[in-house]
Amino acid sequence: LLDALVHEPMVKTQFCVFVAKEFTESFKWYLKAAEQGYADAQFMLAACYEDGLGVTPNKAEAIEWYRKAAANDQENAKAALKRLGVSK
């Protein structure tokens, strides 16, 4: 069952982060899902950029992805933008 599930980008990513702790691999899957418009993946990708998980920290990229996620009604992204003092 797990093998079948990991073909879905968000499931694969959640597996990588929460089970394997492979942030570089997780980043790759977050990016794929985020580019397809998945708001939760956009938020997680932004968090990776902000915290340097699986990628070099990049505040500008983090803000860009938080904005995309917020535009897709992702509440945590809206809160992150507020925390960072950035308008949507």
Side-chain angles (χ1 to χ4, degrees):
L1 177 61
L2 180 60
D3 190 48
L5 289 175
V6 296
H7 293 291
E8 292 296 320
M10 286 304 296
V11 174
K12 172 70 172 180
T13 302
Q14 290 170 355
F15 174 76
C16 291
V17 171
F18 298 117
V19 177
K21 305 288 187 206
E22 293 290 336
F23 294 114
T24 302
E25 183 72 8
S26 296
F27 177 84
K28 178 180 85 172
W29 287 100
Y30 284 137
L31 180 60
K32 286 178 183 256
E35 289 174 336
Q36 294 176 28
Y38 291 98
D40 289 337
Q42 291 168 337
F43 168 75
M44 293 303 295
L45 185 67
C48 287
Y49 273 119
E50 183 178 4
D51 296 333
L53 300 173
V55 67
T56 302
N58 186 323
K59 186 175 180 179
E61 283 289 327
I63 290 169
E64 179 181 336
W65 284 105
Y66 281 138
R67 282 183 170 148
K68 289 179 183 183
N72 286 322
D73 292 325
Q74 213 291 343
E75 294 300 321
N76 293 322
K78 292 176 185 179
L81 288 171
K82 185 176 180 180
R83 175 178 51 79
L84 293 170
V86 177
S87 63
K88 296 177 197 172

